[in-house]
Amino acid sequence: AGLVVENESYFDTLRIRVPDAAAVHQRANERRINLRRIDAHTVGVTLDEAITRDELALLVEVFGGDVAALDSLASVAAPSVSESTAVPEGLARQTAILSHPVFSRYHSETEMLRYITQLQNKDLSLANAMIPLGSCTMKLNATTELIPITWPEFGSIHPFAPREQTQGYAHMIDDLERDLAAITGMDATTVQPNSGAQGEYAGLRAIRAYQASQGESSRDICLVPESAHGTNPASAVMAGLSVVIVKCDAKGNLDLVDLEAKAAKHSARLSAVMITYPSTFGVFEDGVVRAIEIIHQYGGQVYMDGANMNAQVGLTSPGHMGADVCHLNNHKTLAIPHGGGGPGVGPICVKAHLAPFLPGHPELTKADGSPQSTVGPVSAAPYGSAGVLPVTWSYIKLLGGRGMTQVSKTAILNANYMANRLRDHYSVLFTNENGMCAH
């Protein structure tokens, strides 16, 4: 087509200089192809190993080339990476690939089927046992919830697909974000974070951005209980905060005397406290509301870690208790499968004053084209792990408020049943005054 490819080296993505990018995009849209919009004279094309000759022919048409010459061009293309100039010499692989015997041991579909089944049988799943994931209790990953993520209308949508092509997806995400805000007693939600730890970081960034907008950038102290999950202090440090540890008493509760002393000591610099409720020690802390009041009294914000929300949903909420921001683990409380380490979704829900400081994204703009948020993204994709959000949406809609409340009650009952059955064999370190635990 006589066009210039700007890349000197490339793997799967090309920048192509064109006279009129708008015309190229129009021809691409007519052929149901999305190209990256770079500027008025540059478009981006990304290809992978799954592309077919017919699709290549459509691309040639889009760029005004000669389809008849496609096969002859393909025949002279470099047969391997080592012979191609696309990958710089220093980056080309020098070692053998797929050298493990497993890649050459199986020569029929039946042999491969038996091998995969053998691996599957080694997995511990709900099909043969209780999944031992401690306090991070997953809910049932029902088939009804999982089927929608196999639909191409959800599973094959590119994160940067034009908005006019994703209106149904966007409607589901908006609906889910409203539901999550209602569940947590908050005013706004983002599903962008890909994990609980990333949610912590995003929530603390929102707090810092809000405080900066109030002329309080000097607030850089985060109080973290010694019972906290390890990601709490790590997230605080990543958000540019200095961590001050707060003691817990002999029963595992937050030491309110120590909390107030340190909040008062650091009042001029107090940014936030991170509280997990119920705590990582497994108890509903009676003093949680007082702890929140103390932090607010000294000018700080309250971040509530929602790792154990499976004991809260429908019974209470972070917003009801007075927290300013919390995260959820959809892969714990809200049914997304998390075996093997992924995928995860760690939405954050915030009160109204923090809503303008939720993470933004270049793809998320207002009607006038201006950014939705002045705060940068925490994930590469605008809605994070959007492909699994239909699982949580289905879980919430199938159960409704009454059903989710019953799930929480059952989770607490099961936790206490297990604690009591094991009490003669293991030490149950922390319980409340009635000898009960929360998770």
Side-chain angles (χ1 to χ4, degrees):
L3 303 176
V4 175
V5 176
E6 295 186 344
N7 311 62
E8 291 185 4
S9 59
Y10 53 87
F11 176 65
D12 61 0
T13 300
L14 304 173
R15 288 172 60 101
I16 302 175
R17 194 77 176 167
V18 297
D20 184 356
V24 171
H25 287 299
Q26 182 177 346
R27 291 195 294 271
N29 289 338
E30 292 169 355
R31 292 161 176 80
R32 300 176 65 83
I33 294 174
N34 289 326
L35 300 176
R36 182 183 174 196
R37 299 176 184 270
I38 298 177
D39 57 39
H41 298 288
T42 316
V43 297
V45 181
T46 298
L47 310 172
D48 64 15
E49 66 276 12
I51 194 168
T52 66
R53 185 197 179 283
D54 289 343
E55 290 168 336
L56 279 176
L58 291 175
L59 272 176
V60 172
E61 292 177 1
V62 165
F63 288 103
D66 181 8
V67 176
L70 179 59
D71 291 326
S72 60
L73 287 171
S75 66
V76 298
S80 67
V81 172
S82 61
E83 299 176 60
S84 171
T85 59
V87 178
E89 184 177 347
L91 297 180
R93 188 186 182 108
Q94 305 298 322
T95 57
I97 63 170
L98 305 181
S99 58
H100 191 280
V102 72
F103 295 111
S104 57
R105 182 178 295 155
Y106 307 106
H107 301 281
S108 72
E109 181 180 347
T110 304
E111 289 176 320
M112 180 61 73
L113 172 67
R114 288 171 177 167
Y115 171 66
I116 292 174
T117 302
Q118 181 186 36
L119 294 179
Q120 176 184 320
N121 289 339
K122 294 179 179 179
D123 185 33
L124 183 65
S125 74
L126 283 174
N128 47 35
M130 178 182 72
I131 301 178
L133 284 182
S135 65
C136 304
T137 310
M138 295 192 301
K139 298 300 177 285
L140 176 63
N141 311 131
T143 302
T144 303
E145 299 159 12
L146 296 175
I147 285 177
I149 68 175
T150 69
W151 297 341
E153 292 85 353
F154 289 119
S156 298
I157 298 293
H158 192 280
F160 301 155
R163 287 187 180 183
E164 61 268 19
Q165 297 177 17
T166 60
Q167 292 180 18
Y169 218 141
H171 177 80
M172 182 206 69
I173 292 173
D174 289 344
D175 194 29
L176 177 59
E177 288 182 340
R178 286 192 297 269
D179 284 347
L180 297 181
I183 288 168
T184 56
M186 297 292 186
D187 300 309
T189 304
T190 176
V191 296
Q192 189 181 116
N194 286 304
S195 71
Q198 201 173 60
E200 295 170 11
Y201 173 66
L204 292 172
R205 284 207 323 170
I207 289 173
R208 298 219 70 193
Y210 165 73
Q211 289 170 336
S213 74
Q214 303 297 304
E216 297 182 324
S217 298
S218 59
R219 291 188 175 275
D220 63 352
I221 295 288
C222 185
L223 302 182
V224 179
E226 61 185 7
S227 61
H229 191 285
T231 57
N232 284 184
S235 296
V237 171
M238 287 187 66
L241 295 164
S242 297
V243 175
V244 173
I245 300 299
V246 179
K247 297 176 183 177
C248 291
D249 63 24
K251 296 182 178 180
N253 295 307
L254 190 61
D255 187 328
L256 295 180
V257 173
D258 190 51
L259 175 71
E260 183 157 18
K262 287 172 177 172
K265 178 181 178 181
H266 301 289
S267 59
R269 295 175 56 194
L270 179 61
S271 176
V273 68
M274 301 185 79
I275 300 174
T276 304
Y277 188 82
S279 74
T280 305
F281 286 167
V283 294
F284 285 111
E285 299 195 37
D286 293 338
V288 65
V289 172
R290 177 57 188 149
I292 291 171
E293 291 172 348
I294 289 170
I295 298 303
H296 285 159
Q297 176 185 339
Y298 290 99
Q301 298 282 296
V302 176
Y303 181 98
M304 186 166 284
D305 187 314
N308 304 321
M309 272 292 294
N310 56 297
Q312 272 199 60
V313 177
L315 302 175
T316 184
S317 71
H320 174 72
M321 286 179 272
D324 300 289
V325 53
C326 71
H327 85 262
L328 294 166
N329 294 88
N330 285 15
H331 46 280
K332 297 176 183 176
T333 305
L334 296 166
I336 290 176
H338 199 39
V345 180
I348 57 170
C349 305
V350 299
K351 288 293 180 66
H353 65 284
L354 294 180
F357 307 101
L358 290 172
H361 193 280
E363 294 292 320
L364 298 177
T365 57
K366 299 177 183 177
D368 62 0
S370 62
Q372 280 190 3
S373 173
T374 57
V375 179
V378 295
S379 300
Y383 298 108
S385 301
V388 292
L389 294 179
V391 180
T392 295
W393 185 90
S394 301
Y395 176 82
I396 292 172
K397 298 305 182 186
L398 287 167
L399 283 170
R402 185 178 301 174
M404 294 185 74
T405 302
Q406 186 60 36
V407 167
S408 296
K409 292 178 178 179
T410 304
I412 297 170
L413 179 63
N414 287 342
N416 282 280
Y417 170 78
M418 291 298 297
N420 278 281
R421 286 295 302 270
L422 297 173
R423 195 177 299 275
D424 293 338
H425 308 282
Y426 296 90
S427 297
V428 179
L429 297 180
F430 301 106
T431 57
N432 66 10
E433 65 276 7
N434 298 316
M436 308 294 278
C437 64
H439 63 87

